[in-house]
Amino acid sequence: MSLHKLVLFILFVSALASCTKTTFIETPELFTDHMVLQQNTDVTIWGKSDAGAEVTITASWGEQVTCIANDAGEWTAKLPTIEYGGPYELRVSSGEISKTFTDVMLGEVWICSGQSNMEMPVIGNWAHLDNAEEEVANANYPNIRLFTVQRDIAFTPVDTIQTTGWEKCDPNTIKSFSATAYFFGREIHKKLHVPVGLIHTSWGGTVAEAWTSKNSLLTLGDFDATMERISHMEGSQESLTKQFEAETEQMQREIMEADLGLDNDKAVFAAPDFDDSDWTTIDLPGMWEATSLGNYDGSTWFRKEVTLTPALAKSKLTLQYGAPDDYDEAWFNGVKVGENKTWDQLRQYEIPAELVKAGKNVITIRVYDSGGGGGFMGETKDFQLLSDNGQSLPIAKNWLAKKGFDFKDIKTIPVSLSDPSQPTVLFNAMINPLLPYTIKGAIWYQGESNAGRAFQYRKLFQTMITDWRQQWNLGDFPFYFVQLANYQPRNAQPVDDTWAELREAQTMALSLPNTGMAVAIDIGNPLDIHPGNKQEVGRRLALNALAKTYAQEVAYSGPMYKSVEVKDNTIEISFSDIDGELSTSDGKNPEGFAIAGADKKFVWANAQIKGNKVIVSSPKIKNPVAVRYAWSSNPACNLIDSSNLPASPFRTDSWKGITE
């Protein structure tokens, strides 16, 4: 094309654009009054208008850019920002139509996502935040801005979200906001003295694959069948509901056929005289993945014989046990006495007097688990037969257990219209609409729901992180995450453990550039999967950001396993990321170390600190080959450094685990 023709073409396009009459301007829900835009960069501003409309974005800090809407009416612009500050105004205009956003701040913008420990609010029915009332009263930080994405699922990527928009942090707005995100943002705000924007998008109980895009999940090959079913979720709500109901009925029929404890709706495993001599003996509470039953989702049956005195048999009895994961049915002497589909709730079922007799009685419980760990939570004392005269009979020990069915044997798995733990559905609904809002980085607290598939999580988690970075197109932006806190009853002896394997998978994600991990092995709650000390969780996440993103001289990591050397009957362990010197949180010798010989049988080890090494040994192991530290859901462990940050759990062996 000649220069003359090129000039005429440009003039023609410009004239055409100027003749386009603008009838509307739309911007995403992320753009509201009080928003925070990332400082010192080019932020993306986007929206919709009439095709061909010329849209101008004017910022009161002195920048203006113009763009033209494409044939679909979509427009995008890159707006330069300056150093932190505000408040400013941002105006989006075309012709006589305009939108103006006020009280706009320039600062640091972070995505905050995950499952319930990220979702847990400062104040809420299920939240037990330490010092919650005091934290609410002191939450006067007008330059911390809060944005919450409401829960939603979608089978294909969508562009819109449900939200109340950006809000200033005050004692009212902070109540329902993520506690972890708030304490992270508060630390950044206090240390850097800049406005902070926190975009909270999380959903309790969800799995990592739900937060990952379809194309990225396809590279793994583990979720293809489910995503294929999801991709065909088209039609009216009525037709989809009918399809779901039909497939659910079919799945239930397949479960009834597959469950060894059921025979045409009859609970054969609950019969008092059923022969359970080949069942596995276990103590409660606990997850069955940590026992010889193995790692599976489905059902497990539990039976226990109890002997009642005549006095106890004549009293009104209540069967009590710790919260099942996910839900349960209970029988007493072959008769159902209760069922409950509420997760994380102590069970209490009254036993009709006519079922109780002096002498031998049989309790049977069927626990159904659809994903993650399966079994019982709570404490040993939660498992009792209670009488109305004040007597009680402990029943936590010596249960017999047997697998009922495994979901791997079920052919029909319906695509739920409301289940958030399905591949891609949360990425589609709660991440995709945030693209391409310019952010500094992301924090993440999730993993509990993937613990039963910890080996898979090694690749899945890294795939999700890489996926987000590709989707945002901001390079390898900072991604900091929380390693699972300690939870569940403490094991008396070294064991294989799904949560330990999940923590290992999380640690492996540190191989990705610009990542960091907040170790929380010392601040959990064995009785509550949602520990109350979110202040320290947020602070430790912020330490990673302050050190790695903002180049401040702060310790951000406790000791990390580096290498091991076997010397005769001892093992010397070296660590990296030590701030100062190794020590223990209680001033005692290190605990939580276990060693094993070639037979792979671990025993607790004696441990001593020498310089910046830990020396472990045991008189029971003459030729040790492997060592593990804090390798359980709720380990007794105390190794720290001068920063008082805990050492991360680790193992030196690569022996096959229970999730592999």
Side-chain angles (χ1 to χ4, degrees):
M1 180 181 293
S2 68
L3 179 60
H4 176 69
K5 290 182 178 180
L6 179 60
V7 171
L8 289 176
F9 177 74
I10 293 174
L11 291 174
F12 171 76
V13 172
S14 298
L16 182 65
S18 64
C19 291
T20 300
K21 183 177 181 180
T22 305
T23 61
F24 75 100
I25 292 178
E26 291 181 358
T27 52
E29 294 86 353
L30 276 160
F31 294 92
T32 72
D33 295 342
H34 316 303
M35 65 181 161
V36 180
L37 296 176
Q38 182 60 41
Q39 65 168 327
N40 287 329
T41 190
D42 292 334
V43 299
T44 303
I45 312 293
W46 75 100
K48 293 182 179 181
S49 188
D50 302 274
E54 183 179 86
V55 179
T56 300
I57 299 97
T58 305
S60 65
W61 57 85
E63 295 288 348
Q64 183 179 89
V65 293
T66 299
C67 59
I68 304 296
N70 63 18
D71 291 344
E74 300 168 341
W75 53 266
T76 302
K78 291 288 188 179
L79 178 69
T81 59
I82 60 175
E83 190 176 39
Y84 69 89
Y88 297 107
E89 285 190 357
L90 184 71
R91 184 171 181 264
V92 181
S93 62
S94 181
E96 298 179 356
I97 307 296
S98 68
K99 297 179 69 172
T100 300
F101 304 106
T102 63
D103 190 31
V104 176
M105 306 299 292
L106 300 182
E108 297 298 290
V109 181
W110 288 82
I111 295 289
C112 314
S113 187
Q115 61 178 108
S116 56
N117 271 305
M118 180 62 78
E119 186 180 34
M120 178 180 141
V122 174
I123 296 285
N125 292 334
W126 58 278
H128 304 102
L129 178 71
D130 296 348
N131 303 316
E133 297 296 336
E134 180 181 353
E135 294 289 6
V136 168
N138 293 331
N140 289 298
Y141 297 98
N143 284 336
I144 297 178
R145 305 295 173 86
L146 316 174
F147 185 96
T148 297
V149 178
Q150 299 301 320
R151 289 176 167 189
D152 198 9
I153 72 169
F155 299 120
T156 57
V158 299
D159 297 326
T160 61
I161 51 176
Q162 297 295 319
T163 180
T164 56
W166 287 93
E167 299 176 312
K168 293 183 178 182
C169 175
D170 61 35
N172 182 50
T173 60
I174 199 59
K175 291 179 181 178
S176 60
F177 196 73
S178 161
T180 294
Y182 167 56
F183 294 123
F184 166 81
R186 186 177 71 178
E187 192 75 8
I188 298 297
H189 177 62
K190 285 185 172 182
K191 291 295 190 294
L192 301 182
H193 308 291
V194 302
V196 174
L198 302 171
I199 301 174
H200 171 227
T201 177
S202 62
W203 193 327
T206 55
V207 290
E209 60 265 30
W211 296 96
T212 311
S213 76
K214 178 180 179 180
N215 286 341
S216 289
L217 286 182
L218 286 173
T219 66
L220 299 176
D222 294 348
F223 307 99
D224 293 7
T226 303
M227 287 192 294
E228 177 66 18
R229 293 195 299 271
I230 288 175
S231 67
H232 289 92
M233 294 296 290
E234 298 178 353
S236 66
Q237 184 73 16
E238 181 181 0
S239 65
L240 291 175
T241 300
K242 288 182 179 179
Q243 177 184 336
F244 173 73
E245 292 173 347
E247 291 180 347
T248 299
E249 290 178 3
Q250 177 60 25
M251 180 184 70
Q252 293 300 330
R253 286 192 291 269
E254 293 176 16
I255 289 175
M256 298 294 279
E257 293 176 2
D259 198 314
L260 299 176
L262 300 173
D263 183 10
N264 294 323
D265 289 334
K266 182 179 180 181
V268 293
F269 280 0
D273 57 353
F274 182 83
D275 182 7
D276 53 20
S277 58
D278 64 341
W279 287 31
T280 301
T281 301
I282 63 175
D283 294 335
L284 302 181
M287 299 292 117
W288 67 64
E289 289 86 352
T291 74
S292 59
L293 289 169
N295 181 31
Y296 58 91
D297 299 322
S299 73
T300 298
W301 294 75
F302 300 85
R303 285 171 56 90
K304 181 175 179 62
E305 181 179 310
V306 294
T307 301
L308 300 180
T309 64
L312 201 57
K314 291 180 180 179
S315 66
K316 183 179 179 181
L317 294 181
T318 298
L319 172 62
Q320 174 181 289
Y321 50 87
D325 188 351
D326 294 318
Y327 67 80
D328 64 308
E329 300 172 88
W331 292 261
F332 195 88
N333 287 334
V335 178
K336 182 179 281 191
V337 294
E339 63 180 314
N340 194 323
K341 294 186 178 181
T342 302
W343 182 80
D344 197 22
Q345 185 179 92
L346 183 77
R347 302 301 200 246
Q348 287 188 328
Y349 299 132
E350 292 185 4
I351 302 173
E354 61 270 20
L355 299 181
V356 184
K357 59 184 179 180
K360 173 185 172 182
N361 295 262
V362 177
I363 302 169
T364 307
I365 303 172
R366 178 182 183 256
V367 174
Y368 175 99
D369 171 56
S370 60
F376 295 88
M377 297 175 282
E379 299 178 83
T380 299
K381 66 180 181 62
D382 294 332
F383 293 75
Q384 300 184 66
L385 274 176
L386 305 172
S387 72
D388 59 355
N389 61 14
Q391 291 181 287
S392 66
L393 179 66
I395 57 172
K397 303 294 184 180
N398 298 317
W399 285 77
L400 298 175
K402 189 176 183 64
K403 179 195 291 187
F405 81 96
D406 189 330
F407 262 113
K408 291 180 179 179
D409 300 323
I410 305 303
K411 295 180 180 179
T412 304
I413 306 294
V415 176
S416 171
L417 304 183
S418 58
D419 182 7
S421 283
Q422 300 176 101
T424 75
V425 297
L426 297 183
F427 172 86
N428 294 337
M430 299 177 67
I431 296 296
N432 193 73
L434 306 179
L435 307 172
Y437 198 84
T438 305
I439 62 172
K440 187 67 173 184
I443 58 172
W444 175 259
Y445 195 162
Q446 189 274 341
E448 298 91 338
S449 291
N450 283 94
R453 294 178 282 120
F455 189 79
Q456 179 192 66
Y457 200 79
R458 293 180 177 189
K459 290 184 178 179
L460 173 60
F461 185 36
Q462 296 186 43
T463 297
M464 192 206 80
I465 296 172
T466 302
D467 178 43
W468 284 23
R469 287 171 167 174
Q470 291 172 344
Q471 299 287 345
W472 252 284
N473 195 28
L474 294 172
D476 293 331
F477 62 72
F479 192 102
Y480 304 130
F481 53 91
V482 183
Q483 191 185 58
L484 294 189
N486 50 305
Y487 172 61
Q488 299 180 15
R490 181 160 292 168
N491 297 306
Q493 299 299 326
V495 294
D496 283 324
D497 188 275
T498 59
W499 277 44
E501 292 179 20
L502 195 284
R503 293 189 189 108
E504 180 181 53
Q506 292 176 312
T507 304
M508 289 178 173
L510 294 175
S511 63
L512 293 178
N514 218 6
T515 55
M517 183 173 71
V519 177
I521 198 65
D522 60 330
I523 52 176
N525 184 338
L527 305 180
D528 192 344
I529 199 170
H530 307 119
N533 189 1
K534 292 295 188 288
Q535 293 91 333
E536 183 64 10
V537 174
R539 188 185 78 90
R540 292 180 186 180
L541 283 168
L543 289 176
N544 277 273
L546 291 169
K548 295 187 172 187
T549 302
Y550 301 114
Q552 293 206 344
E553 293 293 329
V554 296
Y556 63 89
S557 170
M560 299 292 293
Y561 166 71
K562 180 180 180 182
S563 62
V564 67
E565 184 178 0
V566 179
K567 293 184 176 181
D568 298 325
N569 64 340
T570 67
I571 295 181
E572 291 189 0
I573 309 163
S574 297
F575 297 85
S576 63
D577 299 283
I578 300 173
D579 181 69
E581 299 179 346
L582 289 180
S583 60
T584 58
S585 57
D586 55 8
K588 301 178 181 178
N589 285 333
E591 60 178 341
F593 289 90
I595 59 174
D599 62 359
K600 303 181 181 180
K601 296 180 180 179
F602 281 89
V603 300
W604 296 123
N606 300 316
Q608 296 180 346
I609 296 174
K610 290 189 177 180
N612 277 336
K613 294 183 177 181
V614 174
I615 315 299
V616 295
S617 64
S618 170
K620 298 179 181 180
I621 307 294
K622 294 183 179 180
N623 298 299
V625 299
V627 60
R628 294 178 175 181
Y629 173 70
W631 197 258
S632 70
S633 299
N634 179 29
C637 55
N638 60 354
L639 188 65
I640 61 172
D641 62 15
S642 299
S643 69
N644 290 320
L645 293 173
S648 175
F650 67 89
R651 62 170 174 166
T652 65
D653 64 274
S654 58
W655 296 332
K656 185 176 181 180
I658 55 179
T659 65
E660 187 172 350

